[in-house]
Amino acid sequence: MTDMKITATKVESVTAEVLVLPLLAGEKDADATPVGLPKLSSAVSAVRASGAKGATTRLPAVNGLKAQSVLLVGLGSSDLADVTDEHIREAFGSAARALTGVKSAAIAFPGGSDDQVVAAAEGFALGSYNYIEHKTAESAKKSTPVESFEVVTVSKPSKELSARLDRAMIVAEHVHAVRDLVNTPPNLLFPEAFADIAAKAAKKVGVGVEVLDEKKLLAGGYGGIMGVGQGSTRKPRLVKLTYVPKKATRHVSIVGKGITFDTGGISLKPGASMDEMTSDMAGAATTLHTVLTAAKLELPIAVTGFLALAENMPGGGAQRPGDVVTMRNGMTVEVLNTDAEGRMVMADALVDAAAEKPDLLIDVATLTGAAVVALGSRTAAVMGTEDARDELWAASKRAGEAFWPLPFPEELRETLNGRVADLSNIGERPGGTLSAGVFLQEFTDGLPWAHLDIAPTGFTQKPYGYTTRGGTGQSLRTMLAVLEDTSR
């Protein structure tokens, strides 16, 4: 994780290897202007630096500045009043990605507000990431993110600003940790290994942990989790995480999908891009680190997390299309497609989460390819009971993460009626994202509930802003925004 420190000095006095500065756009590239440093205008004009959002221009030592070089990053607007905090995060995240291989840097937002300084620092920290765990030393050297950076402020920062910058780094640390889990190869991250990682991480911050192995799952009637995992030699797990501070003001339960690798089972996926199914546990990774972040920040709100972990393989003992399984709550489900496995493991975990009667129930999952078709690759879906859905959507806007609300049309429930069981695990093809959510709703006991389908956003092959290639960590900041808002 990249280190951060705060330095109170004039921008002109910074001696960093690279100094990152924001740039406003103009009608033409040559009209771009540096924020708060008009003395750089001639240099900006001479190199025709672009002020487009995320565009970067590297300059050698500039007269009047002591930094060895300057990296200008576009904010995408000609008027600072139109630049949102998320625009700043994305711009400075792009700057961090452009500095791969640089050991240290400094960032400044001359004349900026505390909000803008925090957004710049958070974006830079989020963008300072690459997964290099399995690269050789020479290869890793070319991909190593910025190791440390300083945030330059004109005067000594207030306690509030320092606290906000510290929070930004804690959030970035846990987003990076989500990315690490998603990027870990599936031969190294399987249900038991994931459960062990979660248990060790939880104990470090005083979060309670309980792990159910395959024997306890079988005895407890977790037919959904056991059915999905029965084709693999690496058996499923259900991990429960408990953070209960004194005088908690609210209780939120979060359920995360943790398919450590998804072949589709007997309903085998096409071979193309199947390697990306190492990311099908992004929901569980996000759930784990949302709970850990709440504990690290000592939020006065009780948070319970459930990680539903299984590997979906087409082995000789694998579940078949046409099988009927009995779920944790006693409902029976006819399995029509073994590649609709996420909702099966999630349903069992939702039953346990709902049994605790939380004030708010959330689930997060890379659940349906249909969500990608509907929303593209940068916007996730949020569904659920109306108030809970809207609460999560509002939180996503505050966090700067792209979500879009989707409905639950009444007619979709009928398409899930089973021929020989209470339910089938898929409905008709149209509205596949919605019917998956309708299926999950059967296991929420009527509680206020929000369902996040992050299939479009949990993994990417195309870096942008502070989002690097591979796991993204998207949705952690949204759920944290909910926890922080309700703990005030």
Side-chain angles (χ1 to χ4, degrees), residues 112-141:
S113 66
D114 283 2
D115 287 347
Q116 291 166 333
V117 171
V118 171
E122 184 173 30
F124 196 85
L126 289 169
S128 299
Y129 176 87
N130 270 319
Y131 187 73
I132 57 176
E133 184 72 20
H134 304 290
K135 292 180 180 287
T136 60
E138 188 61 32
S139 179
K141 192 175 183 181

Side-chain angles (χ1 to χ4, degrees), residues 281-350:
M281 35 56 66
T286 304
T287 298
L288 167 63
H289 282 283
T290 299
V291 178
L292 298 182
T293 306
K296 189 79 69 74
L297 294 175
E298 299 181 342
L299 299 183
I301 179 170
V303 188
T304 309
F306 293 85
L307 318 181
L309 309 175
E311 187 177 57
N312 189 22
M313 300 290 283
Q319 173 169 265
R320 297 156 291 261
D323 281 1
V324 172
V325 299
T326 301
M327 308 296 286
R328 172 69 167 156
N329 65 351
M331 292 185 73
T332 57
V333 176
E334 185 177 356
V335 178
L336 300 184
N337 188 327
T338 64
D339 194 24
E341 85 300 327
R343 66 201 69 182
M344 299 294 287
V345 301
M346 296 286 284
D348 274 350
L350 280 167

Side-chain angles (χ1 to χ4, degrees), residues 8-240:
T9 186
K10 293 181 180 180
V11 174
E12 292 86 348
S13 302
V14 175
T15 58
E17 182 179 352
V18 183
L19 172 63
V20 181
L21 295 170
L23 194 64
L24 286 171
E27 292 183 8
K28 299 178 181 179
D29 282 348
D31 295 332
T33 56
V35 175
L37 282 176
K39 65 177 65 178
L40 292 184
S41 295
S42 58
V44 169
S45 179
V47 298
R48 301 184 64 82
S50 173
K53 187 173 69 175
T56 57
T57 306
R58 185 86 171 263
L59 300 178
V62 179
N63 288 339
L65 298 181
K66 292 184 178 180
Q68 296 175 37
S69 64
V70 172
L71 184 73
L72 301 168
V73 59
L75 298 178
S77 175
S78 59
D79 188 343
L80 194 55
D82 295 332
V83 177
T84 67
D85 289 348
E86 180 62 7
H87 288 153
I88 294 171
R89 276 190 287 265
E90 290 182 357
F92 277 79
S94 295
R97 289 194 299 105
L99 293 178
T100 296
V102 172
K103 287 191 175 182
S104 64
I107 67 170
F109 206 108
S113 66
D114 283 2
D115 287 347
Q116 291 166 333
V117 171
V118 171
E122 184 173 30
F124 196 85
L126 289 169
S128 299
Y129 176 87
N130 270 319
Y131 187 73
I132 57 176
E133 184 72 20
H134 304 290
K135 292 180 180 287
T136 60
E138 188 61 32
S139 179
K141 192 175 183 181
K142 300 174 183 176
S143 306
T144 302
V146 175
E147 295 178 10
S148 64
F149 72 100
E150 56 184 313
V151 178
V152 179
T153 59
V154 175
S155 57
K156 183 179 179 180
S158 64
K159 289 184 178 179
E160 181 183 1
L161 176 57
S162 295
R164 291 179 65 190
L165 288 169
D166 287 342
R167 175 203 175 275
M169 293 303 293
I170 290 172
V171 171
E173 173 191 353
H174 286 281
V175 170
H176 287 191
V178 173
R179 293 173 179 175
D180 281 346
L181 283 169
V182 173
N183 291 330
T184 300
N187 60 319
L188 302 178
L189 188 72
F190 42 92
E192 184 179 2
F194 196 145
D196 289 344
I197 290 170
K200 290 176 183 176
K203 289 175 182 177
K204 286 182 180 179
V205 292
V207 169
V209 60
E210 179 184 3
V211 179
L212 300 185
D213 63 14
E214 68 270 27
K215 294 180 181 178
K216 292 179 180 178
L217 289 171
L218 184 62
Y222 296 85
I225 296 175
M226 287 300 297
V228 170
Q230 71 187 46
S232 174
T233 58
R234 301 188 287 195
K235 298 306 177 185
R237 295 288 186 271
L238 179 62
V239 179
K240 179 182 178 181

